Amino acid sequence: MFNLLIGYDGSACATAAIADLQRAGLPPATAACVLVIADVWLPPVNAAPAQSATEGMAPIGASTNQRIQTIMTNAQNQAQEAAAQLRVFFPGWQVRTASYADSPAWG
């Protein structure tokens, strides 16, 4: 089985690139993962307070948490939309999605 990782950002160019895959000559037995990286920095969950880079800073407020949740939900929705498009173009493919909070350049 051929494995394919597709980085997707929801832009018109990324959507066109998904459509262009129809002309890429990819095999019918393909497992594809649509990956969306949300540009959100989250502090490490298991960081000790003394080692935290945010020591001395105010805790994240409810409005910030809500904004982060909205951004992550949008990232998940973008991945699902791209995956749905892939499933139309390639009904025999195994398509899954992934979305993470990170810097897109590093993620």
Side-chain angles (χ1 to χ4, degrees):
M1 178 161 292
F2 185 78
N3 292 308
L4 181 64
L5 177 63
I6 301 168
Y8 186 77
D9 66 2
S11 67
C13 292
T15 302
I18 296 273
D20 284 347
L21 287 174
Q22 296 175 90
R23 294 185 280 283
L26 295 167
T30 297
C33 177
V34 178
L35 174 65
V36 176
I37 303 294
D39 196 3
V40 176
W41 181 84
L42 299 174
V45 174
N46 58 356
Q51 298 171 353
S52 173
T54 60
E55 187 173 355
M57 295 177 71
I60 295 175
S63 65
T64 301
N65 281 333
Q66 181 59 40
R67 198 164 150 240
I68 289 170
Q69 283 291 35
T70 299
I71 291 168
M72 290 306 300
T73 299
N74 290 342
Q76 292 167 354
N77 291 341
Q78 284 180 342
Q80 290 296 332
E81 289 169 12
Q85 197 174 28
L86 279 173
R87 289 182 186 107
V88 168
F89 296 145
F90 304 101
W93 282 16
Q94 295 175 10
V95 180
R96 65 184 184 90
T97 63
S99 57
Y100 300 101
D102 202 346
S103 165
W106 288 100

